[in-house]
Amino acid sequence: MPEKRQRLDFIDIARGIAIICIVIGHVKCNSINRVVFPFNVPLFFLISGYFTSAKTDMRTFVKRKAQTLLVPYYVTCLVIILIGTAEGFILGGAGGALKELVDWIYGTLYGSGFGFDKPFYIKSIGAIWFLWGSFWGSVLLKLSLKMKEEVRLLFIAILFIFAVMTKQLVWLPLSLQPGCCAVFYMYVGYSFKELQPRLGGVRKEYKSAVLLFSLAVYLFFIKDYTGFELVHLSLGRGIVDIFGSLCACVVVFWISKKISPQRFLGKCLSYLGKYSLFVLCFHIIELNLFPWWKIAAWLCGKGMPEFMTIPFLIVGKLTMDITAAVIASKIKPVRRLFGMKE
């Protein structure tokens, strides 16, 4: 297999692992969250930065990002609004439908990954905040690449500090603060791409040492996990956990490389990675609207052991999201709408 194809497979596999971890990270299990939260979102930001080109003109770049990130955001939100309003009507009549319609429209326009009621009520739009966060991060990274290196580093640091320092004062719309934080991870990915030609001559023992160190840091991160979620910039122990999240990503990339030669598993994960946007969009629809917990409670009432609740949720969510994503990936108008190449 050509070297370029191997690299693309390895990156798509990493995406596939990350999107699975995003889905299972929403079953409200701390034992799972401490393993997947350190890398599932940061890894996507790193990959986005890796594929960012300094040569593309800004106008073309922004247009492309709007097509591949913002159009899917609003299309998915429209589906959520329609289904949510219908559910509101079924459960609460015209009044319930109106409330759901207004709440979901406000949630869509604000674009926050978590809900709040002070100073005003905003419904969480859920994990799809990632698309607006990625848009801001990509545009700000692209802007920084026009600066001198010293100014660029200062600019990225200021964005990160701004995001962290202002989150307690005001949560800005359209996930702007997580987007400012994302620039750091994207720049790490971009820098790695720039350094890659120089790393070809690095001895294998040194690469192995970096991997073992990263694995050790990641394992300590899991053991002493105090919370790490970029959705609301909960950064745990700060710089320590930010570094730990980078080490977790290194481990996942290494695992992806090892999986790549495995024909069946590698092909499946690569496919999921290639269409991870579809998985995310369908996941957020079912996460917001499908009554998984009510079904699980009903099954427990019918005799299902309580310890089977989490496995049931994981299997159900993954089955629904992946099936819907596979179907969508076969429909050319949907692919074009989401800015995907034929």
Side-chain angles (χ1 to χ4, degrees):
M1 180 183 294
E3 184 179 349
K4 184 177 180 181
R5 182 66 254 166
Q6 284 183 332
R7 189 184 75 242
L8 291 175
D9 283 347
F10 132 69
I11 291 175
D12 281 338
I13 288 170
R15 282 197 189 105
I17 293 172
I19 195 61
I20 289 174
C21 289
I22 284 176
V23 174
I24 67 175
H26 289 139
V27 298
K28 300 179 181 180
C29 176
N30 189 58
S31 297
I32 292 174
N33 294 350
R34 68 195 306 123
V35 175
V36 303
F37 278 1
F39 69 84
N40 58 2
V41 173
L43 188 141
F44 276 106
F45 289 147
L46 286 171
I47 293 174
S48 179
Y50 182 89
F51 284 108
T52 298
S53 172
K55 297 178 181 179
T56 310
D57 69 274
M58 193 66 171
R59 183 175 180 179
T60 302
F61 182 83
V62 171
K63 183 178 179 181
R64 176 64 180 166
K65 287 298 177 181
Q67 175 67 40
T68 57
L69 296 172
L70 302 189
V71 170
Y73 173 86
Y74 286 110
V75 169
T76 304
C77 287
L78 178 60
V79 174
I80 291 173
I81 291 169
L82 294 174
I83 298 177
T85 302
E87 282 190 355
F89 181 79
I90 293 170
L91 298 176
L98 180 60
K99 183 181 185 305
E100 290 298 311
L101 175 64
V102 172
D103 285 351
W104 281 121
I105 289 177
Y106 281 165
T108 295
L109 296 176
Y110 211 86
S112 173
F114 64 97
F116 52 87
D117 52 18
K118 294 181 180 179
F120 45 79
Y121 174 73
I122 286 294
K123 194 179 188 72
S124 167
I125 199 62
I128 206 169
W129 71 267
F130 168 81
L131 298 180
W132 262 112
S134 294
F135 176 79
W136 292 124
S138 298
V139 172
L140 290 168
L141 173 65
K142 180 68 174 175
L143 182 63
S144 75
L145 297 181
K146 298 181 178 295
M147 305 172 183
K148 293 183 179 179
E149 187 173 356
E150 299 81 3
V151 178
R152 181 190 309 156
L153 293 173
L154 178 61
F155 176 69
I156 293 172
I158 290 173
L159 288 174
F160 200 99
I161 294 170
F162 162 79
V164 173
M165 296 296 290
T166 59
K167 68 174 184 176
Q168 298 296 341
L169 301 175
V170 59
W171 192 255
L172 298 172
L174 302 179
S175 298
L176 179 59
Q177 284 138 307
C180 290
C181 180
V183 182
F184 164 74
Y185 287 97
M186 290 181 178
Y187 184 61
V188 171
Y190 175 84
S191 299
F192 178 76
K193 178 185 65 176
E194 295 296 297
L195 287 172
Q196 220 172 0
R198 306 178 194 176
L199 298 176
V202 175
R203 294 173 59 178
K204 187 176 181 180
E205 302 93 285
Y206 296 154
K207 293 181 179 179
S208 298
V210 170
L211 173 62
L212 290 174
F213 175 76
S214 298
L215 178 60
V217 171
Y218 178 35
L219 291 176
F220 276 110
F221 194 162
I222 294 172
K223 176 179 176 294
D224 299 327
Y225 179 78
T226 58
F228 189 86
E229 298 179 66
L230 295 184
V231 57
H232 44 63
L233 299 185
S234 173
L235 302 178
R237 292 160 294 182
I239 294 175
V240 173
D241 282 357
I242 292 168
F243 179 70
S245 70
L246 293 174
C247 290
C249 290
V250 170
V251 173
V252 175
F253 283 131
W254 176 80
I255 292 172
S256 301
K257 283 187 174 181
K258 292 299 180 181
I259 291 175
S260 186
Q262 307 302 318
R263 187 171 182 84
F264 179 75
L265 180 59
K267 189 174 181 179
C268 290
L269 288 173
S270 179
Y271 187 90
L272 284 183
K274 185 177 180 182
Y275 296 109
S276 56
L277 178 60
F278 285 143
V279 179
L280 175 66
C281 291
F282 285 111
H283 169 57
I284 205 59
I285 293 170
E286 57 88 358
L287 181 65
N288 283 328
L289 301 172
F290 197 79
W292 286 111
W293 287 98
K294 291 182 179 180
I295 294 173
W298 180 81
L299 289 174
C300 287
K302 294 296 183 179
M304 183 179 79
E306 190 172 343
F307 71 86
M308 287 298 297
T309 298
I310 296 301
F312 164 74
L313 293 173
I314 290 174
V315 172
K317 285 174 173 289
L318 287 175
T319 300
M320 180 179 288
D321 299 340
I322 292 172
T323 300
V326 170
I327 294 172
S329 71
K330 305 296 184 183
I331 304 174
K332 290 185 178 181
V334 176
R335 290 166 57 91
R336 287 196 295 268
L337 181 63
F338 278 45
M340 294 183 177
K341 296 179 181 178
E342 296 298 331

